[in-house]
Amino acid sequence: MTPQEIVERALELSQNDGCVVLVDEGSTANLRFAGNTLTTNGVARSSRLTVISIAGEGVGVVSRASVREEQLADIVAAADAAARDAQPAEDARPLVEGVPQSADWGSDVRPTDIGVFEGFAPALGEAFAAAEAGGRKLYGFAEHSLTSTFLGTSTGVRLRHDQPTGRLELNAKSADLKRSAWTGVSTEDFTDVDVAALDSSLAQRLEWAKTRVDLPAGRYETLLPPSAVADLMIYLFWSAGARDALDGRSVFSKPGGGTRVGEQLGRLPVTLSSDPAAAGIACAPFVTAHASSRQSSVFDNGLPLEPTDWIKDGRLEALLQTRYSAQLSGLAVTPGIDNLIMTGAESGRSLEEMIASTQHGLLVTCLWYIREVDPQTLLVTGLTRDGVYLVEHGEVVGEVNNFRFNESPVDLLGRLTEVGASERTLPREWNDYFQRTVMPPVRVPDFNMSTVSQAS
């Protein structure tokens, strides 16, 4: 059965008051390499069916992978039974209706394949040769996926979204494996990936690392590149649920009750937003909720998504809302969107220009192992990785030791002294879950490198 036929048949089989059916058809292609040699390549396919049955205000959810036609009736029946046995859902709302059908609803699914690397693979081979000649080794992987999501409901919603997602992670090491540098990019189809330029930037960083400078823990003027900014802002975004704020459980809770929406968080006019139609990072323009949570509701499936400012000119504008939480908070319905964009008031300078204007400070490559310490302040801790460099009088003069840091992304917004030019980037820590980001480099005058780390 086609995904569209599965949706229609499942809706026909449900005997309850309402039903939502989601079918996710996925495909991936990948290349992996180590020591300037391609090691493996492969392709994979996946399929998952989620049936959400509604009986009164009770909800039953059953999700299965690789469903065969003869299994469909049992899956729907199980969802129906779970809904009838369930307690009333607090987020219960009428299902979305009146949404125009997707124009490509009836089109065939066209999976990705190894051919997506047709132009990229030769360029990667040339980078291997250049790295070998330069006495360095390249390690990493390139991965492309395409997920087609089909959403149908008993109220007539028929929506589809095809989501391409690509990433390249590239790690360079010196011949003795004592020096390491990392870079990564996010892409829709690999046609815009400049491997030679990425390899050149890694070679430069390995050259910087030939000079070693040991520094103690402390607060340093620090330049965070777009990738590191993305990891911090993604965590802020994930923590911006309206329910948690209303319940007094988050940094966005207002003392005495309510939320901090409307408060000024940053002294610079920084904007953090999402837009389903943003060029290069487009994502699903409607809600797809496979289960209800504090930040999502199965009853909102199919709800159109609009460009949303979460923070506008430094002011908190919106939190992650379902229709249920919006009623509780009295604020607009602003569901989560699968991309994130941070910009300053002006176009800003490049990271290289920001380095050139730095008298004394640190340049971070990326952050990893980020973990929450205090939800009330959104204090997080983590480690620097694959290169922290000392900048003196506008030039990088060497590599310093790694650090553990303790910082709050919200608090950082109030301390930034410069926001650079935004660009598409790949978060290092969170790219398994969230890849579509456009972020700037930023200057923090007093970034808290709390302890020295022995990580290398």
Side-chain angles (χ1 to χ4, degrees):
M1 299 176 73
T2 67
Q4 299 92 329
E5 289 172 337
I6 292 173
V7 169
E8 300 299 343
R9 182 60 180 147
L11 291 172
E12 291 174 1
L13 288 167
S14 179
Q15 301 297 308
N16 282 349
D17 302 320
C19 188
V20 177
V21 180
L22 288 150
V23 176
D24 298 295
E25 292 286 332
S27 56
T28 61
N30 67 81
L31 304 175
R32 297 185 180 275
F33 47 93
N36 299 333
T37 301
L38 186 67
T39 55
T40 61
N41 66 81
V43 296
R45 296 284 300 272
S46 64
S47 178
R48 176 163 288 273
L49 166 67
T50 301
V51 178
I52 303 164
S53 181
I54 300 164
E57 294 186 346
V59 178
V61 180
V62 175
S63 185
R64 298 286 187 272
S66 304
V67 173
R68 299 189 302 274
E69 183 176 357
E70 61 270 21
Q71 297 173 309
L72 193 55
D74 289 342
I75 292 171
V76 175
D80 279 355
R84 290 191 294 269
D85 292 340
Q87 296 295 313
E90 64 178 7
D91 60 327
R93 291 292 182 276
L95 292 179
V96 174
E97 57 184 329
V99 179
Q101 177 173 303
S102 295
D104 59 349
W105 170 262
S107 301
D108 294 339
V109 172
R110 303 188 65 178
T112 190
D113 57 35
I114 211 71
V116 73
F117 302 120
E118 181 179 8
F120 166 79
L124 183 63
E126 293 172 4
F128 289 161
E132 194 70 31
R136 59 187 179 276
K137 301 291 186 182
L138 296 180
Y139 300 79
F141 67 93
E143 181 182 78
H144 188 260
S145 66
L146 181 61
T147 301
S148 297
T149 298
F150 297 82
L151 167 65
T153 74
S154 53
T155 52
V157 171
R158 299 292 185 275
L159 295 173
R160 171 183 179 168
H161 179 69
D162 297 321
Q163 184 66 68
T165 302
R167 58 176 168 167
L168 168 66
E169 291 205 39
L170 197 59
N171 186 276
K173 297 184 182 297
S174 58
D176 60 5
L177 304 182
K178 292 183 178 180
R179 290 172 285 132
S180 178
W182 177 89
T183 189
V185 294
S186 173
T187 177
E188 287 188 312
D189 57 14
F190 282 87
T191 60
D192 56 350
V193 177
D194 189 341
V195 186
L198 295 172
D199 177 51
S200 178
S201 71
L202 292 175
Q204 175 66 77
R205 289 171 180 264
L206 290 181
E207 189 67 23
W208 290 341
K210 286 182 176 179
T211 301
R212 174 76 177 193
V213 180
D214 290 325
L215 291 179
R219 289 186 175 271
Y220 292 91
E221 178 170 302
T222 301
L223 298 177
L224 297 177
S227 175
V229 175
D231 277 317
L232 292 172
M233 291 302 109
I234 288 169
Y235 203 84
L236 181 155
F237 180 59
W238 284 343
S239 304
R243 285 291 308 280
D244 285 343
L246 286 168
D247 291 347
R249 298 169 57 174
S250 85
V251 68
F252 300 108
S253 302
K254 187 175 182 178
T259 76
R260 295 177 64 188
V261 170
E263 289 189 19
Q264 197 73 20
L265 302 180
R267 62 180 180 179
L268 293 184
V270 171
T271 294
L272 190 68
S273 63
S274 299
D275 182 355
I281 56 169
C283 60
F286 54 87
V287 171
T288 55
H290 294 72
S292 288
S293 69
R294 294 183 68 82
Q295 296 183 3
S296 64
S297 171
V298 295
F299 294 93
D300 291 348
N301 270 298
L303 199 67
L305 297 175
E306 303 291 341
T308 303
D309 289 332
W310 310 106
I311 298 171
K312 177 71 171 178
D313 294 333
R315 179 179 183 268
L316 183 62
E317 291 287 312
L319 298 171
L320 299 173
Q321 298 266 21
T322 64
R323 287 184 292 170
Y324 169 63
S325 70
Q327 182 182 17
L328 295 177
S329 67
L331 300 171
V333 180
T334 47
I337 299 171
D338 196 24
N339 63 25
L340 199 59
I341 304 161
M342 181 176 172
T343 57
E346 301 175 353
S347 58
R349 298 189 291 180
S350 68
L351 180 59
E352 291 71 24
E353 291 170 326
M354 292 170 67
I355 293 171
S357 66
T358 300
Q359 290 303 302
H360 176 79
L362 300 181
L363 169 65
V364 169
T365 295
C366 55
L367 308 176
W368 74 303
Y369 209 68
I370 299 171
R371 298 295 182 267
E372 187 175 281
V373 176
D374 180 10
Q376 295 293 331
T377 61
L378 203 61
L379 179 67
V380 298
T381 189
L383 300 172
T384 62
R385 187 178 187 184
D386 286 320
V388 181
Y389 306 98
L390 178 62
V391 182
E392 296 280 6
H393 306 295
E395 294 185 357
V396 176
V397 298
E399 182 184 55
V400 307
N401 43 273
N402 278 305
F403 295 95
R404 172 169 293 281
F405 68 89
N406 286 323
E407 282 288 0
S408 163
V410 176
D411 190 54
L412 281 178
L413 290 176
R415 291 161 35 219
L416 299 180
T417 55
E418 184 176 1
V419 177
S422 296
E423 61 183 52
R424 184 171 182 176
T425 191
L426 182 73
R428 178 76 184 271
E429 173 79 336
W430 306 123
N431 69 51
D432 281 342
Y433 316 102
F434 201 109
Q435 292 186 28
R436 284 168 280 279
T437 60
V438 171
M439 294 284 150
V442 301
R443 186 187 303 274
V444 184
D446 54 354
F447 195 82
N448 184 17
M449 300 297 189
S450 55
T451 58
V452 171
S453 168
Q454 299 306 313
S456 59

